[in-house]
Amino acid sequence: MLRMLGFFVLTVLALPNSALRGQSLYVLSDLYIDEASGNVTGTATTSTDYYTSFYYDIGVNLSLRIIPQYGSPYYACSNWNSTNSSSSVSSSCSTNLGTQFADVELASYHWLDATYYYYQLQYCSWECYYFADYYGFSFLGTSGTYYDNQYFYAPGQTTPSSQRTTKSANLYKTKARGGCTYPSSETVYGWGWNAYNAYAAQFLQVLNGGSFNNRIVSEVFPSQGTDTCWRPSNGGQPVTTLAPGSWLVNFIKAMDYNGFASFSFNYSNGWGFDHLGFYGSGGANLLSSYVQNVRNQGGGSCSLNFSQYMYMYCGLYSTSNGGAYYKFNNPLVITVNATGTSALLNSQRSGIDQSRNIP
Amino acid sequence: MTTTLKVAQTFLAQVCLFAATALAQDLSLNLQDHRSLAEGARRIREKTHWMICVEEPLRASKAASTAGQPRDNRGAEPPARDKLQVTFASLRKRGDRPQALQQIVSAYNAQNPGGDGPYRLESVASYQVLVPATGSILSARIGVPRAARLAQDHLNALATAVSSQAGGTEVMVDTAAFGFRFNQAFHGNTDLAVKPFEWGVSNEVARNALAGLLNSSLTSTVWQVDCHVGIKPSVGHCILSVMPITVEVTNSAGRMVKRTLFYDKAVGNTNVVVPPPPPAQ
């Protein structure tokens, strides 16, 4: 690292802070299952951009855990790799499942160690030289657990720092062996409001990455949500979870929600509706109470938040061979806004919003 | 349905594990808000999984509101603030339940003279119900015509029957705690699960009728009756909330988390699809 000091100082002098390009970090993994042979291979990679890679040491560790349809889970293999001289490092490990059906979990840990050098951050004599985080690496939003490949980009603001800092991220992926593939993503369409429940928004989903017709998808809410609208004076209790639903994926048709009879939505690989909002007269009454709560506090908004996980079963029309999660931590948000005499309900799934006025 | 069975068994094992740990804890309550008794019952449910329900008395309308008291959209007020301070010496085993619940009733009655009380404890089927000594809207005898309906519609029919026995006070059903999916939680969540079934009662105490109806649900369900004070000329109203049970459990990472129990009575039932829990929760 020391050999680069001269170049580092030269570069900083040449570029003002505002023009500095941030440092980037990629964490990637993938899981391959050969259905015929039962071979399973996991790979994981940590990469940083070439331009800044010489300030950083990077590494990756991965393991494969097997959850057989019958029997106890076990760790099949693990491996790690690191480098202080390259912008990318990978690791992999393999196992063979034989003929058994199983869920395979790939867990990878990615890290990046940064070493900084003295730099004069403002005009003075020697007393204001600091170890300087030149690329704003400290601002990378890592340190979490993720279920998709991630790309982190630092804002590029030079800042004082300790001499060494570390950023890390966990990546988690799972697939099922048993003749099954799973969606790579899901396209969400807001489809108006339920005809019999005026405050229940409808969402249609189309699955991408293969053919999934006649498979069953289910939702899971593994953690409690939040309901900032509820007050003890409302009675009952806050709405902190949803009863999990399941749907059959198929060629789905839906009429235009404005009432036109033609099928303006007509796709295979679809499922729905996923409803989000307030049902029935009891739900409408609760919504009115929530609006009143917001008004009682002088206006503003409150919300209900849930984290939805989507699971797909392996077999056609069947749940007997297990499956895999294909969507993690999907945000469902219901927001109630009240300002003056007007009130607005907003239902959001996967970032798709639907709003309507509350009379 | 192997998966469903396996999941259900795992789930029940978790609940049993929870019961063993949670019951070993003591609990102190220091509550001061609207509906402290109901909040106390909710917290005990979380710790013990006991099926505790709370019913407020029907309230007469009054001429003027208390300054600062929140009103709902109908111009009605919640009951005045009350309090509940109690420490349970023992919540260690299920045999402690009658004593613990009697303790909460005695404490509430002593600490809130002139309030809704006194309350008493009543056992109905598997439920322990905290009922005003003067009774609640569910103390009346009702009749609900036998008919094929969905679970939510049965509840609505029961509420209509209760309302007719409560001097015209409107009784509304609130199933929001199920995430607005009460029918699925009751019947099951496959495409064919939610279908009408026959139910009705004749000259039966409303509380017993409700307990009997909820006994058919695939999800453990409790109820709470909340009555609001009407500010004249508005009349008051009551809300019959039915709710799933939320309990504290230790997750696979060793952390204490809250779980709402859905389909906990559905072991082996093909109308329910429950995937295994996601990893690393």
Side-chain angles (χ1 to χ4, degrees):
Chain A
M1 290 294 176
L2 284 174
R3 69 185 184 278
M4 300 312 304
L5 181 57
F7 178 76
F8 174 78
V9 172
L10 186 65
T11 307
V12 170
L13 291 175
L15 292 171
N17 263 2
S18 59
L20 292 178
R21 183 174 182 278
Q23 186 261 340
S24 56
L25 173 66
Y26 302 84
V27 295
L28 324 160
S29 71
D30 211 342
L31 193 53
Y32 307 94
I33 300 178
D34 183 86
E35 290 292 339
S37 66
N39 284 334
V40 178
T41 300
T43 63
T45 300
T46 304
S47 293
T48 186
D49 60 285
Y50 179 77
Y51 182 67
T52 57
S53 64
F54 36 72
Y55 298 111
Y56 305 105
D57 300 339
I58 53 178
V60 60
N61 184 9
L62 89 159
S63 63
L64 293 183
R65 181 169 175 257
I66 310 299
I67 301 123
Q69 184 180 12
Y70 305 106
S72 301
Y74 62 93
Y75 283 96
C77 63
S78 65
N79 204 356
W80 70 278
N81 202 356
S82 66
T83 180
N84 62 4
S85 59
S86 174
S87 62
S88 181
V89 63
S90 296
S91 185
S92 68
C93 76
S94 299
T95 190
N96 186 281
L97 296 174
T99 57
Q100 68 178 333
F101 283 6
D103 285 338
V104 181
E105 296 175 352
L106 184 158
S108 57
Y109 174 72
H110 306 255
W111 73 91
L112 190 160
D113 294 327
T115 304
Y116 303 114
Y117 301 95
Y118 272 118
Y119 172 60
Q120 185 182 15
L121 289 174
Q122 61 195 71
Y123 180 75
C124 66
S125 56
W126 284 99
E127 68 271 16
C128 61
Y129 276 69
Y130 297 92
F131 291 112
D133 174 6
Y134 171 49
Y135 289 103
F137 175 64
S138 311
F139 300 104
L140 279 178
T142 60
S143 303
T145 296
Y146 304 93
Y147 302 94
D148 288 309
N149 296 339
Q150 297 292 315
Y151 166 65
F152 303 104
Y153 187 73
Q157 181 181 5
T158 304
T159 185
S161 172
S162 57
Q163 187 176 14
R164 290 181 68 86
T165 60
T166 296
K167 287 287 181 178
S168 63
N170 291 291
L171 199 52
Y172 197 97
K173 293 190 177 175
T174 180
K175 280 187 178 176
R177 191 275 175 107
C180 284
T181 58
Y182 294 92
S184 56
S185 64
E186 189 176 77
T187 306
V188 180
Y189 297 85
W191 211 256
W193 301 81
N194 184 277
Y196 306 102
N197 297 276
Y199 302 113
Q202 303 175 138
F203 293 92
L204 280 169
Q205 286 65 227
V206 174
L207 301 171
N208 307 311
S211 178
F212 306 106
N213 283 345
N214 303 319
R215 303 268 293 275
I216 295 170
V217 294
S218 294
E219 63 181 348
V220 171
F221 297 93
S223 59
Q224 296 295 111
T226 58
D227 177 357
T228 65
C229 298
W230 183 84
R231 301 286 178 273
S233 56
N234 292 128
Q237 65 184 31
V239 183
T240 56
T241 191
L242 306 174
S246 71
W247 296 264
L248 183 69
V249 180
N250 212 317
F251 202 87
I252 190 164
K253 296 180 178 182
M255 284 187 288
D256 186 295
Y257 58 82
N258 290 320
F260 295 108
S262 61
F263 291 117
S264 53
F265 184 97
N266 196 345
Y267 287 98
S268 89
N269 269 353
W271 69 268
F273 294 111
D274 191 1
H275 289 99
L276 188 61
F278 295 80
Y279 274 82
S281 56
N285 183 69
L286 184 70
L287 174 60
S288 296
S289 299
Y290 282 4
V291 169
Q292 194 60 46
N293 289 345
V294 175
R295 287 187 174 136
N296 285 343
Q297 66 186 23
S301 67
C302 64
S303 64
L304 297 83
N305 290 265
F306 312 98
S307 180
Q308 180 192 47
Y309 287 55
M310 292 304 306
Y311 186 89
M312 175 176 274
Y313 286 93
C314 176
L316 302 181
Y317 305 104
S318 168
T319 61
S320 56
N321 283 329
Y325 281 90
Y326 70 91
K327 195 165 192 173
F328 296 81
N329 239 341
N330 184 40
L332 307 181
V333 185
I334 302 171
T335 306
V336 177
N337 291 283
T339 306
T341 56
S342 66
L344 188 73
L345 169 67
N346 189 83
S347 290
Q348 183 193 77
R349 184 180 193 278
S350 305
I352 304 297
D353 289 289
Q354 297 200 85
S355 297
R356 82 177 314 166
N357 290 317
I358 308 166
Chain B
M1 280 297 134
T2 307
T3 304
T4 307
L5 277 170
K6 193 163 70 176
V7 168
Q9 285 160 0
T10 305
F11 168 79
L12 287 176
Q14 283 178 342
V15 170
C16 291
L17 176 64
F18 138 76
T21 55
L23 285 175
Q25 301 171 358
D26 292 337
L27 176 66
S28 288
L29 298 174
N30 186 2
L31 305 170
Q32 193 157 4
D33 208 330
H34 304 280
R35 305 193 161 108
S36 296
L37 186 61
E39 175 63 10
R42 187 187 66 79
R43 293 195 190 184
I44 295 174
R45 276 201 304 267
E46 280 186 0
K47 295 283 184 188
T48 65
H49 195 181
W50 295 344
M51 304 285 276
I52 310 169
C53 306
V54 180
E55 298 172 10
E56 289 181 355
L58 186 62
R59 304 177 195 284
S61 297
K62 64 180 186 179
S65 64
T66 307
Q69 188 84 330
R71 292 189 184 188
D72 69 11
N73 57 305
R74 294 164 185 252
E77 288 182 350
R81 289 172 183 269
D82 52 6
K83 63 183 177 182
L84 177 62
Q85 294 172 322
V86 59
T87 298
F88 296 98
S90 177
L91 288 178
R92 295 183 186 284
K93 55 185 186 294
R94 295 197 180 281
D96 293 331
R97 184 169 64 181
Q99 186 180 350
L101 293 179
Q102 194 55 56
Q103 193 180 347
I104 193 173
V105 168
S106 300
Y108 184 83
N109 289 342
Q111 292 163 17
N112 298 278
D116 284 346
Y119 273 79
R120 59 183 168 79
L121 187 61
E122 186 168 322
S123 292
V124 179
S126 59
Y127 295 96
Q128 300 294 316
V129 192
L130 306 182
V131 188
T134 53
S136 80
I137 54 169
L138 295 184
S139 301
R141 289 189 171 273
I142 59 165
V144 178
R146 189 168 188 84
R149 314 175 186 94
L150 296 178
Q152 176 81 50
D153 297 327
H154 284 313
L155 274 182
N156 293 340
L158 183 144
T160 301
V162 169
S163 186
S164 69
Q165 297 297 312
T169 297
E170 186 180 7
V171 178
M172 290 172 287
V173 174
D174 166 22
T175 56
F178 288 91
F180 314 103
R181 295 174 181 174
F182 174 70
N183 279 332
Q184 285 88 339
F186 190 103
H187 294 272
N189 63 356
T190 62
D191 284 351
L192 300 176
V194 180
K195 54 188 177 188
F197 68 101
E198 284 211 350
W199 180 83
V201 293
S202 175
N203 192 29
E204 189 166 340
V205 173
R207 186 175 301 112
N208 297 348
L210 178 60
L213 174 63
L214 297 181
N215 187 49
S216 302
S217 172
L218 297 180
T219 297
S220 287
T221 304
V222 293
W223 69 83
Q224 182 173 319
V225 174
D226 301 299
C227 291
H228 289 229
V229 182
I231 305 301
K232 292 177 179 176
S234 301
V235 295
H237 58 267
C238 294
I239 301 171
L240 169 60
S241 298
V242 293
M243 307 171 291
I245 307 281
T246 298
V247 297
E248 291 181 351
V249 296
T250 304
N251 70 4
S252 58
R255 286 186 296 127
M256 190 71 90
V257 296
K258 291 181 181 178
R259 291 266 192 275
T260 300
L261 307 185
F262 289 112
Y263 307 120
D264 57 315
K265 294 161 62 181
V267 177
N269 190 303
T270 55
N271 283 334
V272 175
V273 174
V274 181
Q281 290 302 312

